[in-house]
Amino acid sequence: MAYTLKVNGQSKTVDVPADTPLLWVLREALDLQGTKFGCGAAQCGACTVHLNGVAIRSCVTPVVSANGKAVTTIEGLSPDGTHPCQIAWQDVDVPQCGYCQAGQIMSAAALLAKKPKPTDKDIDEALNGNLCRCGTYVRIRAAVHKAAELAAAGKPAGSPSGARLGGRE
Amino acid sequence: MDRRLFLKISAIAGGGVALGFVTEEQALAQRGGAMAPPPDVHNYITVAADGTVTITAKNPEVGQGVRNMLPMMIADELDVDWKSVKTVQADYDDSKFVGQSAGGSTATPNNWTPMRQVGAAGRLMFVTAAAQTWNVPAAELSTGSGKVYHKASGKSISYGELAPAVAKLPTPDLAQVKLKDPKDYKIIGVTKPGTEVPKIVTGQPIFAIDVKVPGMLCAVFEKCGVFGGKVASANLDEIKKLPGVKHAFIIDRPDVTEPVIPRDPGLESGVVIVADHYYQAAAARKKLKVTWNEGARASHSSAKYAAKAQEMSKSAPQRTIRKDGDPEGTLKSAAKVVKAQYSYPFIAHAPLEPQNCTAHFQGDKIEIWTNSQTPGGGRRMVSDLLGIPEKNVITHMVRGGGGFGRRLTNDYMVEAAYISKQVNAPVKLIWTREDDMRHDYYRPGGWQNLEAGLDASGKLVAWQNHFISYGEGETFVGSGAMGPTEFPQRFVPNYALHASVQPLAIRTGALRAPSSNAFAFVIQSFIDELAHAAGKDPVAFRLEILESVPAVAAAPAPGAGGRGGGFAPPGMNADRMKGVVKLAAEKSGWGKTKLPKGTGMGIGFHFSHQGYFAEVAQVSVSADNKIKLEKVWVAADVGSHIINPGAADNICQGGIIDGISEMMGQEITIENGKVVQGNFDKHTMLRISEAPPVIEVHYLKSTFNPTGLGEPALPPILPAVANAIFAASGKRLRDLPLKNLGFSWA
Ligand code: FES
Ligand code: FES
């Protein structure tokens, strides 16, 4: 069956069975591998993408239910890697292994789109579906706040903004 | 772009250090390095004409930060600016590098000297080349920011310009190369954000699971839930007709012959499905019907293990591992005796990137892309299995989405290699999360029956442990041993460690801070019980125990870490541990802060992998056993330098989160020989709402060589939290995970 999705602003048609998880359509049929496989069961959030602007777990989303809709992946979050979350994640130096972080960023970006000034509680609620096996939660919280600040200040700037959490320079 | 002139610097990595003891991981790494020629051919540094310095990171990166840390040591001594440095990941190549593994928190201690020597040797070669170019004595030259300067004439020349001349110079003797005075470090000790973070935040395909090879197929592999089970029959004809399926076949392997299952037994029996794409292979697997011959291990269960453990706890121990003084006699005459049984379960590693590997069999050679923590060990296993010489097993090291010890074994590597050979095509094998959780090698569970005596003054005078583990005869299962110098041995005059074991039907082995991750919980919780029995403050009581041996003055040589407390001389330096206990108490305001009812602080310390850690947790506990982690303080002594402080804080905080995850929700249980839990719903991990909002990390800089941080931060947090729960609620928790005792996160 052919399905047409608007992926990162471009119309894409894929010919796969209806129940194929969107995750694997992205990773295999469309070669967008930034979206990660962690559990396949909506437990970890590594596969988070935006479907019509809402953060969803692509591993349990059959392609048929995304047909005709807009999908945004980490690759399409900004044209040049300067979404406030992408800048903030670098400023705060969040990742350890980094495997969960695309999903964390996608959840955070969806939160910020709705709530430009999230509280810790808002962050906990929006990102509770995103596991970080390496335990970078303290920095993830800091980075979401930082992204909110950057967005409010009218950044993104073209490059990381300087001050880094934990920096001792 | 051939305007770039490349300079190759050969350097001796002098990585061989005299070790009185090694971890399992270290032993593996050493075997991996045993084939290497004398460390004289190294390719660490290339300098382009434009001054760009490319530094090779030789170790596997699974999130522990070596991709930055090793090049930072080289760059500082080379005297270049970090912003001019690009790091690249080495392939596995034992003709060029030694110690290409990630385990045992060894990267820092093992590389601290050799990596700086590599950098310093490079710097010396640029100085030598400049001296020849200008015909001046080398002694008149200085360096900085990738340039050589001659003060007298005011001349300077860049490393890029000198590169062609340097390429012709002989490599200096590394042992003779002078290292910087540490006060002149510009990169070591200064936070450098991960060089791959820009790629991570934009979703570039840098992980092993993202590897693509032209013509590549995708494979899934179904194994028996019972270890060693074989395929009796499978509906392969049906499977082969499904969309995209190219191959479906059975692998039949002999069962292991060892009484204790090796942690990396190689290729196992099962059914392979190979398709054009993963989603096709996964869809076909849903239709797969297999009848298994499960074998005798199918009779094993957690319930039976627990019953047997209680029976053994009540019986005389099978053997005595250590006895000092007269523990039985002292216990009889002690003013107070405290007895308790502690237990902890099997747990899984579950790195977030499921096991996967890409292999491309090409007749007399095979190319492998792996996120293994021991690529050399995997390469040897592939060589043995396929009969291809090791040097023809071309092993690319690709970033791994977490390790935690799981990728010390290479089961998925031999599987991918074998399947690629069978189908004669490049193949990416991907395990599901359920495959990963049910075919792990686990942190072994165990029971400890403790008995300790206090004299009339409340001083610890006797300690006895009947340790219940798994194994056969005198062989413990992987990471299921307790050594004869486990704390508080040497700190109490009358000490006995007895052990009994029972056979086990699953694989076990190293998980982040092996054995320490369970033992610290038991020992430091029991010490807390003793402090309360003695009517003493838990910090003061611990310091009193640590005071009981004379200080160790000598600095140990750089080298691998030990696991437990004490572990062979020089073992744990009590002074260093006292230092971090005091620091943790000071930073947390121990004994000085008035906490509301239902809130408490707890402390724990532990020595592992040469790291000294004391941690204080502050928690609140509600009437219905809901726990809120309010704050954690970490005090660490890992030597004279914290090479990349920002990354160090991150990894310490990660160790805390990991330990807290383990204690609340993680338990692997066995029914009918099979692991029950399959995903993160049943083997839970801390979520962001449950994480402590603040984890302060404080380093006590000492004069000792720097040691690793990947593991030793983890063990003390479990007892610190358990002791804090006691302080807050009066409930003493002796059995993990806490969810089984009716506790949950607030
Ligand atoms: S892979 Fe989708 S939630 Fe884990
Ligand atoms: S950084 Fe490794 S899982 Fe989050």
Side-chain angles (χ1 to χ4, degrees):
Chain A
M1 241 330 255
Y3 301 95
T4 302
L5 323 172
K6 196 164 187 193
V7 181
N8 298 332
Q10 289 182 321
S11 179
K12 299 276 181 190
T13 301
V14 292
D15 189 2
V16 295
D19 59 354
T20 307
L22 177 60
L23 169 64
W24 296 102
V25 172
L26 294 169
R27 288 186 57 83
E28 297 194 298
L30 300 174
D31 197 20
L32 291 167
Q33 299 205 86
T35 306
K36 292 292 184 266
F37 170 49
C39 68
Q43 290 294 324
C44 77
C47 64
T48 306
V49 299
H50 299 171
L51 190 64
N52 284 353
V54 177
I56 55 114
R57 312 295 176 220
S58 64
C59 68
V60 292
T61 305
V63 64
V64 61
S65 69
N67 194 28
K69 296 185 182 160
V71 179
T72 306
T73 70
I74 186 76
E75 292 93 341
L77 188 59
S78 65
D80 51 0
T82 56
H83 184 280
C85 286
Q86 291 170 314
I87 302 291
W89 249 249
Q90 293 180 68
D91 276 356
V92 177
D93 196 20
V94 175
Q96 286 181 39
C97 81
Y99 196 77
C100 71
Q101 301 294 349
Q104 307 278 5
I105 289 173
M106 294 311 287
S107 289
L111 168 67
L112 290 177
K114 271 192 315 197
K115 284 208 170 163
K117 280 195 73 169
T119 61
D120 277 349
K121 194 156 181 300
D122 295 330
I123 295 171
D124 284 358
E125 273 165 23
L127 273 68
N128 232 24
N130 291 83
L131 290 175
C132 177
R133 174 67 181 89
C134 300
T136 63
Y137 296 130
V138 175
R139 288 191 177 196
I140 289 171
R141 273 200 204 109
V144 179
H145 287 304
K146 175 105 198 189
E149 276 168 37
L150 290 173
K155 306 245 174 78
S159 67
S161 63
R164 294 177 190 281
L165 188 94
R168 310 241 164 125
E169 313 209 13
Chain B
M1 299 296 291
D2 36 349
R3 66 180 186 78
R4 300 186 73 153
L5 292 170
F6 285 96
L7 153 73
K8 292 193 171 180
I9 295 179
S10 299
I12 296 168
V17 283
L19 297 174
F21 52 92
V22 293
T23 62
E24 286 167 75
E25 303 87 325
Q26 185 68 13
L28 259 177
Q30 285 180 344
R31 284 204 301 279
M35 302 296 289
D40 61 353
V41 183
H42 290 265
N43 252 339
Y44 285 99
I45 303 164
T46 59
V47 178
D50 68 359
T52 304
V53 183
T54 303
I55 300 183
T56 299
K58 71 179 174 68
N59 284 15
E61 175 63 67
V62 289
Q64 78 281 42
V66 282
R67 175 71 183 267
N68 259 30
M69 188 195 71
L70 299 178
M72 283 172 71
M73 296 195 263
I74 295 173
D76 205 329
E77 290 285 351
L78 185 61
D79 228 359
V80 295
D81 292 336
W82 185 249
K83 66 177 188 301
S84 69
V85 172
K86 271 186 17 192
T87 68
V88 293
Q89 174 68 59
D91 280 345
Y92 184 82
D93 188 344
D94 61 358
S95 72
K96 288 181 182 164
F97 305 108
V98 295
Q100 290 188 278
S101 65
S105 297
T106 51
T108 302
N110 286 357
N111 292 296
W112 171 243
T113 299
M115 290 302 111
R116 287 182 303 142
Q117 286 176 333
V118 166
R123 178 187 166 277
L124 181 59
M125 291 166 76
F126 285 104
V127 168
T128 306
Q132 287 169 0
T133 305
W134 291 330
N135 201 17
V136 297
E140 292 177 10
L141 302 179
S142 62
T143 56
S145 297
K147 281 187 176 160
V148 184
Y149 297 91
H150 186 232
K151 197 164 173 225
S153 64
K155 280 192 286 206
S156 72
I157 185 166
S158 74
Y159 283 8
E161 289 170 87
L162 288 167
V166 170
K168 298 188 194 103
L169 291 178
T171 303
D173 174 4
L174 286 203
Q176 305 303 319
V177 166
K178 192 167 159 341
L179 296 176
K180 268 187 181 176
D181 184 327
K183 75 172 169 31
D184 296 327
Y185 288 151
K186 294 192 179 71
I187 297 170
I188 292 170
V190 182
T191 293
K192 301 298 173 197
T195 51
E196 293 201 292
V197 174
K199 292 180 184 163
I200 289 167
V201 301
T202 51
Q204 294 182 43
I206 58 172
F207 293 92
I209 202 168
D210 305 331
V211 167
K212 282 199 161 182
V213 178
M216 182 178 87
L217 303 174
C218 255
V220 296
F221 185 27
E222 172 117 347
K223 288 179 279 200
C224 184
V226 182
F227 179 83
K230 289 158 161 276
V231 180
S233 65
N235 58 337
L236 295 185
D237 292 338
E238 191 185 325
I239 296 298
K240 284 179 191 164
K241 294 192 195 101
L242 294 171
V245 174
K246 288 276 193 293
H247 309 268
F249 56 92
I250 291 167
I251 296 179
D252 188 48
R253 298 279 292 170
D255 197 358
V256 299
T257 51
E258 297 89 333
V260 170
I261 304 172
R263 71 171 180 174
D264 207 1
L267 189 65
E268 296 170 44
S269 301
V271 179
V272 178
I273 302 171
V274 184
D276 287 319
H277 297 291
Y278 176 79
Y279 66 81
Q280 296 164 328
R285 189 177 175 184
K286 289 206 183 112
K287 303 238 162 66
L288 179 66
K289 294 193 191 80
V290 186
T291 310
W292 299 100
N293 285 329
E294 293 181 335
R297 293 189 189 93
S299 67
H300 285 240
S301 72
S302 289
K304 287 183 193 166
Y305 292 144
K308 177 76 182 163
Q310 294 310 337
E311 190 188 312
M312 288 194 291
S313 294
K314 291 191 195 89
S315 315
Q318 292 167 358
R319 63 195 176 103
T320 294
I321 290 173
R322 179 168 197 129
K323 193 157 164 182
D324 300 332
D326 177 18
E328 292 93 347
T330 315
L331 283 167
K332 277 199 196 93
S333 62
K336 240 183 202 167
V337 172
V338 182
K339 277 172 97 155
Q341 185 189 64
Y342 281 80
S343 75
Y344 41 87
F346 295 100
I347 55 179
H349 298 82
L352 198 57
E353 180 186 10
Q355 314 312 331
N356 67 86
C357 183
T358 300
H360 187 190
F361 174 78
Q362 298 154 63
D364 58 352
K365 67 169 186 169
I366 185 164
E367 208 168 348
I368 307 260
W369 291 262
T370 181
N371 55 20
S372 173
Q373 293 177 246
T374 57
R379 189 180 78 146
R380 197 160 43 247
M381 288 168 72
V382 169
S383 163
D384 289 348
L385 181 69
L386 302 189
I388 293 174
E390 272 194 62
K391 66 173 175 22
N392 290 355
V393 181
I394 297 148
T395 308
H396 305 289
M397 288 156 53
V398 190
R399 187 180 189 89
F404 314 104
R406 178 59 184 88
R407 307 193 211 274
L408 291 167
T409 61
N410 291 289
D411 25 8
Y412 47 92
M413 200 204 284
V414 290
E415 289 168 4
Y418 182 85
I419 295 166
S420 175
K421 182 177 180 189
Q422 287 306 107
V423 305
N424 199 16
V427 169
K428 184 196 287 181
L429 168 75
I430 301 177
W431 288 22
T432 61
R433 175 56 53 197
E434 288 78 10
D435 291 334
D436 173 59
M437 206 166 274
R438 296 195 171 122
H439 299 275
D440 196 357
Y441 64 100
Y442 304 88
R443 190 285 298 276
W447 292 260
Q448 297 188 25
N449 298 285
L450 292 156
E451 201 172 342
L454 301 168
D455 70 11
S457 70
K459 187 173 181 309
L460 176 64
V461 288
W463 178 287
Q464 189 160 270
N465 187 357
H466 183 184
F467 172 61
I468 309 290
S469 186
Y470 298 91
E472 289 279 350
E474 302 221 331
T475 308
F476 288 106
V477 296
S479 296
M482 185 181 282
T485 58
E486 188 61 59
F487 191 80
Q489 191 277 327
R490 180 161 78 89
F491 293 84
V492 54
N494 305 288
Y495 176 95
L497 173 59
H498 309 290
S500 299
V501 296
Q502 60 178 314
L504 181 65
I506 56 175
R507 293 196 284 158
T508 62
L511 177 139
R512 191 179 199 173
S515 64
S516 294
N517 54 29
F519 296 176
F521 163 69
V522 175
I523 294 164
Q524 292 287 322
S525 296
F526 191 57
I527 285 178
D528 224 61
E529 294 198 55
L530 298 176
H532 288 283
K536 292 181 183 174
D537 171 75
V539 167
F541 185 72
R542 282 174 171 78
L543 289 171
E544 184 185 301
I545 295 175
L546 291 168
E547 295 288 354
S548 66
V549 298
V552 179
R563 280 175 297 178
F567 221 75
M572 189 182 91
N573 179 328
D575 277 0
R576 295 181 72 182
M577 193 57 87
K578 275 183 273 177
V580 294
V581 169
K582 286 177 186 161
L583 182 62
E586 177 203 319
K587 294 292 179 187
S588 63
W590 183 270
K592 299 209 170 78
T593 319
K594 184 91 186 86
L595 297 170
K597 196 169 169 337
T599 301
M601 274 192 193
I603 187 162
F605 71 75
H606 193 73
F607 169 68
S608 69
H609 301 88
Q610 287 197 26
Y612 294 77
F613 278 77
E615 292 159 10
V616 171
Q618 181 175 314
V619 310
S620 63
V621 184
S622 69
D624 57 347
N625 291 342
K626 293 240 184 310
I627 300 170
K628 178 99 196 116
L629 292 164
E630 296 183 343
K631 190 163 175 181
V632 171
W633 295 263
V634 178
D637 176 355
V638 286
S640 58
H641 291 83
I642 303 298
I643 295 160
N644 193 3
D649 288 355
N650 202 350
I651 212 96
C652 285
Q653 292 174 337
I656 299 301
I657 302 273
D658 200 355
I660 297 167
S661 281
E662 289 176 1
M663 76 186 296
M664 177 58 82
Q666 298 188 358
E667 179 181 31
I668 290 291
T669 54
I670 315 296
E671 277 173 27
N672 300 317
K674 302 185 184 89
V675 170
V676 174
Q677 296 73 17
N679 213 313
F680 296 123
D681 55 339
K682 294 278 167 9
H683 191 269
T684 58
M685 216 179 267
L686 205 74
R687 294 185 180 271
I688 192 168
S689 66
E690 300 157 347
V694 184
I695 303 173
E696 280 183 16
V697 183
H698 301 278
Y699 303 102
L700 188 63
K701 302 274 179 69
S702 58
T703 54
F704 298 84
N705 281 314
T707 54
L709 278 166
E711 292 165 281
L714 187 152
I717 192 59
L718 289 95
V721 169
N723 296 337
I725 292 170
F726 179 80
S729 68
K731 290 171 187 164
R732 178 58 67 187
L733 310 178
R734 302 190 184 92
D735 303 287
L736 298 181
L738 301 186
K739 71 173 179 190
N740 291 355
L741 304 175
F743 286 81
S744 60
W745 300 119

